[in-house]
Amino acid sequence: MGELWSKMSRLYNRSASWSYPRNYGFYVSEVRGLFNDSLSCCVNSLLQSFSATTELLDILNKWNPSAGIKQSNIPLQLKNALLAMRDSSHPAPHRDLLKSLYHHAISRYTQQDADEIFHIILNLTQKQMPEPCLAQEIRSLYEIKVETQVKCSHCASIQRCPSSLFSLPLAIREGENTLESCIDSYFQLQNLADGEENYCNQCEKKQPSTHGQKLVSLPLIMCVHLKRFRNERGFTRKLFNKVTFPETFNTSVFAAAQSENVASDAPRADEHYSLYAVIVHIGFAMSGHYTAYVKQAQDQMWCYANDSYVKPATWADVQRTYKGDNTAYLLLYRKSWNSSG
Ligand SMILES: [Zn+2]
């Protein structure tokens, strides 16, 4: 099987337009296709994004798992799967990871929410990592630190509550949206008045207040979650509205979201983020399919991965996921320090 696999992979590499049998996985340069196992398209697409996040495997590679470690350990299986995705000689490099995920948290044969599975995999990876400093490194790689601030309109005192996120959950409005407009809305201050007043510790009574999220720090890898699924009266519906997003953007879009007590690791205005992976949802809320666009590290070319099927793609292809049936759901951006970086 291994021999057949590498032969077919070589064939496909020679001609990207070669038509392939559906049951075989292929790769384009750095990107390997993954078999769909028990409707694993959601995990498969996320694995493509984890594989494109070379920093994650760099952290996992610092760890030497002990001989007695359980085979269901998620960081072990994630490391094995990511290593196998760089090797063309095995047809199903992620089956043991899928088995471990099914064992811990995920149901087989069900439609998954990619943002939820993204959180489950990252949470389990850091919680089951036996080396605390590496667990922290994994956390820091993705962690967006925010602070909920409630400001009393009478005495101006501020109550702060820190929290952290693995993805920035951005609501989508009816009509057309841009990534910037979604970020603006997320960090917009809300007035708490007319029965919603907040108790102020300084004034020792309920007062009209403003409530909002403030940004404390952004990580190296920033995941943006476009909230396309809305629950209305017990039914989930998908929002097909247009959301444009840039291939690179400047952190000045977060300027209005900065915390009032700016932390030392707060984003600087000259930082840039570059898009390198997009998880795409195809179809409707209750029945759909996930695929991924990933940018290859070496030649910076886009690639499309639909389970075992992988083909070269362009930025124009990625832009077609702004709206409609095939819509971008998670965006992964990587920080670079200046416009040339
Ligand atoms: Zn007050």
Side-chain angles (χ1 to χ4, degrees), residues 272-292:
H272 285 70
Y273 277 86
S274 300
L275 187 68
Y276 72 95
V278 178
I279 307 295
V280 178
H281 183 268
I282 302 172
F284 297 90
M286 302 314 287
S287 65
H289 179 58
Y290 284 102
T291 60

PDB file of all heavy atoms in Angstrom, residues 272-292:
ATOM      1  N   HIS A 272       2.014  43.706  11.384  1.00  0.00           N
ATOM      2  CA  HIS A 272       1.167  43.251  10.290  1.00  0.00           C
ATOM      3  C   HIS A 272       0.803  41.793  10.504  1.00  0.00           C
ATOM      4  O   HIS A 272       1.577  41.039  11.087  1.00  0.00           O
ATOM      5  CB  HIS A 272       1.892  43.389   8.949  1.00  0.00           C
ATOM      6  CG  HIS A 272       1.974  44.808   8.482  1.00  0.00           C
ATOM      7  ND1 HIS A 272       2.767  45.743   9.090  1.00  0.00           N
ATOM      8  CD2 HIS A 272       1.346  45.434   7.452  1.00  0.00           C
ATOM      9  CE1 HIS A 272       2.624  46.896   8.457  1.00  0.00           C
ATOM     10  NE2 HIS A 272       1.769  46.740   7.470  1.00  0.00           N
ATOM     11  N   TYR A 273      -0.359  41.440   9.995  1.00  0.00           N
ATOM     12  CA  TYR A 273      -0.764  40.034   9.997  1.00  0.00           C
ATOM     13  C   TYR A 273      -0.995  39.590   8.556  1.00  0.00           C
ATOM     14  O   TYR A 273      -1.572  40.335   7.761  1.00  0.00           O
ATOM     15  CB  TYR A 273      -2.040  39.844  10.816  1.00  0.00           C
ATOM     16  CG  TYR A 273      -1.778  39.707  12.306  1.00  0.00           C
ATOM     17  CD1 TYR A 273      -1.673  40.831  13.109  1.00  0.00           C
ATOM     18  CD2 TYR A 273      -1.606  38.462  12.881  1.00  0.00           C
ATOM     19  CE1 TYR A 273      -1.407  40.711  14.469  1.00  0.00           C
ATOM     20  CE2 TYR A 273      -1.347  38.329  14.241  1.00  0.00           C
ATOM     21  CZ  TYR A 273      -1.247  39.455  15.022  1.00  0.00           C
ATOM     22  OH  TYR A 273      -0.979  39.324  16.353  1.00  0.00           O
ATOM     23  N   SER A 274      -0.522  38.379   8.244  1.00  0.00           N
ATOM     24  CA  SER A 274      -0.704  37.818   6.903  1.00  0.00           C
ATOM     25  C   SER A 274      -1.548  36.554   6.993  1.00  0.00           C
ATOM     26  O   SER A 274      -1.286  35.679   7.824  1.00  0.00           O
ATOM     27  CB  SER A 274       0.637  37.450   6.292  1.00  0.00           C
ATOM     28  OG  SER A 274       1.429  38.601   6.211  1.00  0.00           O
ATOM     29  N   LEU A 275      -2.511  36.472   6.095  1.00  0.00           N
ATOM     30  CA  LEU A 275      -3.400  35.304   6.055  1.00  0.00           C
ATOM     31  C   LEU A 275      -2.630  34.099   5.516  1.00  0.00           C
ATOM     32  O   LEU A 275      -1.925  34.207   4.508  1.00  0.00           O
ATOM     33  CB  LEU A 275      -4.577  35.619   5.132  1.00  0.00           C
ATOM     34  CG  LEU A 275      -5.712  34.615   5.075  1.00  0.00           C
ATOM     35  CD1 LEU A 275      -6.478  34.588   6.397  1.00  0.00           C
ATOM     36  CD2 LEU A 275      -6.666  34.953   3.938  1.00  0.00           C
ATOM     37  N   TYR A 276      -2.752  32.943   6.189  1.00  0.00           N
ATOM     38  CA  TYR A 276      -2.076  31.749   5.663  1.00  0.00           C
ATOM     39  C   TYR A 276      -2.969  30.514   5.667  1.00  0.00           C
ATOM     40  O   TYR A 276      -2.574  29.477   5.124  1.00  0.00           O
ATOM     41  CB  TYR A 276      -0.774  31.477   6.423  1.00  0.00           C
ATOM     42  CG  TYR A 276      -0.972  30.957   7.827  1.00  0.00           C
ATOM     43  CD1 TYR A 276      -0.950  29.591   8.088  1.00  0.00           C
ATOM     44  CD2 TYR A 276      -1.224  31.821   8.883  1.00  0.00           C
ATOM     45  CE1 TYR A 276      -1.154  29.104   9.366  1.00  0.00           C
ATOM     46  CE2 TYR A 276      -1.435  31.345  10.164  1.00  0.00           C
ATOM     47  CZ  TYR A 276      -1.392  29.985  10.392  1.00  0.00           C
ATOM     48  OH  TYR A 276      -1.605  29.511  11.655  1.00  0.00           O
ATOM     49  N   ALA A 277      -4.158  30.592   6.237  1.00  0.00           N
ATOM     50  CA  ALA A 277      -5.075  29.447   6.166  1.00  0.00           C
ATOM     51  C   ALA A 277      -6.513  29.931   6.330  1.00  0.00           C
ATOM     52  O   ALA A 277      -6.777  30.866   7.093  1.00  0.00           O
ATOM     53  CB  ALA A 277      -4.748  28.412   7.238  1.00  0.00           C
ATOM     54  N   VAL A 278      -7.410  29.305   5.585  1.00  0.00           N
ATOM     55  CA  VAL A 278      -8.848  29.636   5.659  1.00  0.00           C
ATOM     56  C   VAL A 278      -9.621  28.312   5.739  1.00  0.00           C
ATOM     57  O   VAL A 278      -9.449  27.446   4.885  1.00  0.00           O
ATOM     58  CB  VAL A 278      -9.309  30.431   4.411  1.00  0.00           C
ATOM     59  CG1 VAL A 278     -10.800  30.714   4.476  1.00  0.00           C
ATOM     60  CG2 VAL A 278      -8.525  31.730   4.266  1.00  0.00           C
ATOM     61  N   ILE A 279     -10.436  28.170   6.782  1.00  0.00           N
ATOM     62  CA  ILE A 279     -11.307  27.001   6.867  1.00  0.00           C
ATOM     63  C   ILE A 279     -12.641  27.412   6.253  1.00  0.00           C
ATOM     64  O   ILE A 279     -13.242  28.414   6.656  1.00  0.00           O
ATOM     65  CB  ILE A 279     -11.528  26.556   8.341  1.00  0.00           C
ATOM     66  CG1 ILE A 279     -10.190  26.347   9.065  1.00  0.00           C
ATOM     67  CG2 ILE A 279     -12.424  25.318   8.412  1.00  0.00           C
ATOM     68  CD1 ILE A 279      -9.341  25.226   8.553  1.00  0.00           C
ATOM     69  N   VAL A 280     -13.094  26.642   5.264  1.00  0.00           N
ATOM     70  CA  VAL A 280     -14.279  27.003   4.490  1.00  0.00           C
ATOM     71  C   VAL A 280     -15.430  26.066   4.847  1.00  0.00           C
ATOM     72  O   VAL A 280     -15.227  24.846   4.949  1.00  0.00           O
ATOM     73  CB  VAL A 280     -13.964  26.874   2.976  1.00  0.00           C
ATOM     74  CG1 VAL A 280     -15.188  27.183   2.131  1.00  0.00           C
ATOM     75  CG2 VAL A 280     -12.813  27.790   2.594  1.00  0.00           C
ATOM     76  N   HIS A 281     -16.611  26.649   5.044  1.00  0.00           N
ATOM     77  CA  HIS A 281     -17.804  25.820   5.242  1.00  0.00           C
ATOM     78  C   HIS A 281     -18.638  25.855   3.969  1.00  0.00           C
ATOM     79  O   HIS A 281     -18.951  26.924   3.440  1.00  0.00           O
ATOM     80  CB  HIS A 281     -18.640  26.309   6.432  1.00  0.00           C
ATOM     81  CG  HIS A 281     -19.835  25.439   6.691  1.00  0.00           C
ATOM     82  ND1 HIS A 281     -21.070  25.688   6.144  1.00  0.00           N
ATOM     83  CD2 HIS A 281     -19.954  24.290   7.400  1.00  0.00           C
ATOM     84  CE1 HIS A 281     -21.910  24.741   6.519  1.00  0.00           C
ATOM     85  NE2 HIS A 281     -21.256  23.873   7.290  1.00  0.00           N
ATOM     86  N   ILE A 282     -19.007  24.670   3.491  1.00  0.00           N
ATOM     87  CA  ILE A 282     -19.813  24.554   2.279  1.00  0.00           C
ATOM     88  C   ILE A 282     -21.191  24.029   2.677  1.00  0.00           C
ATOM     89  O   ILE A 282     -21.282  23.063   3.442  1.00  0.00           O
ATOM     90  CB  ILE A 282     -19.170  23.560   1.277  1.00  0.00           C
ATOM     91  CG1 ILE A 282     -17.740  24.021   0.933  1.00  0.00           C
ATOM     92  CG2 ILE A 282     -20.017  23.425   0.013  1.00  0.00           C
ATOM     93  CD1 ILE A 282     -16.953  23.004   0.110  1.00  0.00           C
ATOM     94  N   GLY A 283     -22.236  24.670   2.172  1.00  0.00           N
ATOM     95  CA  GLY A 283     -23.582  24.146   2.417  1.00  0.00           C
ATOM     96  C   GLY A 283     -24.322  24.915   3.495  1.00  0.00           C
ATOM     97  O   GLY A 283     -24.059  26.087   3.735  1.00  0.00           O
ATOM     98  N   PHE A 284     -25.246  24.216   4.157  1.00  0.00           N
ATOM     99  CA  PHE A 284     -26.155  24.856   5.105  1.00  0.00           C
ATOM    100  C   PHE A 284     -25.764  24.520   6.544  1.00  0.00           C
ATOM    101  O   PHE A 284     -24.839  23.742   6.776  1.00  0.00           O
ATOM    102  CB  PHE A 284     -27.595  24.421   4.817  1.00  0.00           C
ATOM    103  CG  PHE A 284     -28.065  24.857   3.462  1.00  0.00           C
ATOM    104  CD1 PHE A 284     -27.879  24.032   2.354  1.00  0.00           C
ATOM    105  CD2 PHE A 284     -28.637  26.103   3.278  1.00  0.00           C
ATOM    106  CE1 PHE A 284     -28.283  24.445   1.090  1.00  0.00           C
ATOM    107  CE2 PHE A 284     -29.045  26.530   2.024  1.00  0.00           C
ATOM    108  CZ  PHE A 284     -28.873  25.699   0.929  1.00  0.00           C
ATOM    109  N   ALA A 285     -26.524  25.076   7.487  1.00  0.00           N
ATOM    110  CA  ALA A 285     -26.164  24.916   8.898  1.00  0.00           C
ATOM    111  C   ALA A 285     -26.209  23.463   9.346  1.00  0.00           C
ATOM    112  O   ALA A 285     -25.338  22.997  10.069  1.00  0.00           O
ATOM    113  CB  ALA A 285     -27.092  25.775   9.754  1.00  0.00           C
ATOM    114  N   MET A 286     -27.234  22.739   8.932  1.00  0.00           N
ATOM    115  CA  MET A 286     -27.426  21.399   9.469  1.00  0.00           C
ATOM    116  C   MET A 286     -26.739  20.311   8.646  1.00  0.00           C
ATOM    117  O   MET A 286     -26.576  19.186   9.104  1.00  0.00           O
ATOM    118  CB  MET A 286     -28.929  21.069   9.590  1.00  0.00           C
ATOM    119  CG  MET A 286     -29.702  22.053  10.469  1.00  0.00           C
ATOM    120  SD  MET A 286     -28.882  22.443  12.037  1.00  0.00           S
ATOM    121  CE  MET A 286     -29.149  20.923  12.927  1.00  0.00           C
ATOM    122  N   SER A 287     -26.359  20.635   7.409  1.00  0.00           N
ATOM    123  CA  SER A 287     -25.636  19.640   6.615  1.00  0.00           C
ATOM    124  C   SER A 287     -24.615  20.386   5.784  1.00  0.00           C
ATOM    125  O   SER A 287     -24.955  21.266   5.016  1.00  0.00           O
ATOM    126  CB  SER A 287     -26.586  18.882   5.700  1.00  0.00           C
ATOM    127  OG  SER A 287     -27.138  19.769   4.751  1.00  0.00           O
ATOM    128  N   GLY A 288     -23.386  20.073   5.972  1.00  0.00           N
ATOM    129  CA  GLY A 288     -22.368  20.807   5.237  1.00  0.00           C
ATOM    130  C   GLY A 288     -21.074  20.040   5.165  1.00  0.00           C
ATOM    131  O   GLY A 288     -20.999  18.873   5.554  1.00  0.00           O
ATOM    132  N   HIS A 289     -20.072  20.724   4.681  1.00  0.00           N
ATOM    133  CA  HIS A 289     -18.776  20.088   4.448  1.00  0.00           C
ATOM    134  C   HIS A 289     -17.709  21.157   4.687  1.00  0.00           C
ATOM    135  O   HIS A 289     -17.952  22.340   4.459  1.00  0.00           O
ATOM    136  CB  HIS A 289     -18.748  19.580   2.996  1.00  0.00           C
ATOM    137  CG  HIS A 289     -17.470  18.935   2.600  1.00  0.00           C
ATOM    138  ND1 HIS A 289     -16.943  17.847   3.264  1.00  0.00           N
ATOM    139  CD2 HIS A 289     -16.595  19.209   1.581  1.00  0.00           C
ATOM    140  CE1 HIS A 289     -15.807  17.478   2.678  1.00  0.00           C
ATOM    141  NE2 HIS A 289     -15.584  18.297   1.658  1.00  0.00           N
ATOM    142  N   TYR A 290     -16.550  20.732   5.187  1.00  0.00           N
ATOM    143  CA  TYR A 290     -15.451  21.672   5.406  1.00  0.00           C
ATOM    144  C   TYR A 290     -14.288  21.372   4.477  1.00  0.00           C
ATOM    145  O   TYR A 290     -13.959  20.199   4.237  1.00  0.00           O
ATOM    146  CB  TYR A 290     -14.945  21.588   6.848  1.00  0.00           C
ATOM    147  CG  TYR A 290     -15.836  22.246   7.873  1.00  0.00           C
ATOM    148  CD1 TYR A 290     -16.674  21.486   8.679  1.00  0.00           C
ATOM    149  CD2 TYR A 290     -15.832  23.631   8.033  1.00  0.00           C
ATOM    150  CE1 TYR A 290     -17.489  22.084   9.633  1.00  0.00           C
ATOM    151  CE2 TYR A 290     -16.644  24.243   8.978  1.00  0.00           C
ATOM    152  CZ  TYR A 290     -17.467  23.463   9.777  1.00  0.00           C
ATOM    153  OH  TYR A 290     -18.267  24.064  10.717  1.00  0.00           O
ATOM    154  N   THR A 291     -13.673  22.440   3.972  1.00  0.00           N
ATOM    155  CA  THR A 291     -12.442  22.326   3.193  1.00  0.00           C
ATOM    156  C   THR A 291     -11.491  23.418   3.685  1.00  0.00           C
ATOM    157  O   THR A 291     -11.861  24.204   4.568  1.00  0.00           O
ATOM    158  CB  THR A 291     -12.708  22.518   1.683  1.00  0.00           C
ATOM    159  OG1 THR A 291     -13.255  23.819   1.488  1.00  0.00           O
ATOM    160  CG2 THR A 291     -13.680  21.471   1.148  1.00  0.00           C
ATOM    161  N   ALA A 292     -10.290  23.455   3.132  1.00  0.00           N
ATOM    162  CA  ALA A 292      -9.330  24.475   3.605  1.00  0.00           C
ATOM    163  C   ALA A 292      -8.470  24.995   2.465  1.00  0.00           C
ATOM    164  O   ALA A 292      -8.124  24.262   1.543  1.00  0.00           O
ATOM    165  CB  ALA A 292      -8.442  23.868   4.688  1.00  0.00           C
TER     166      ALA A 292
END
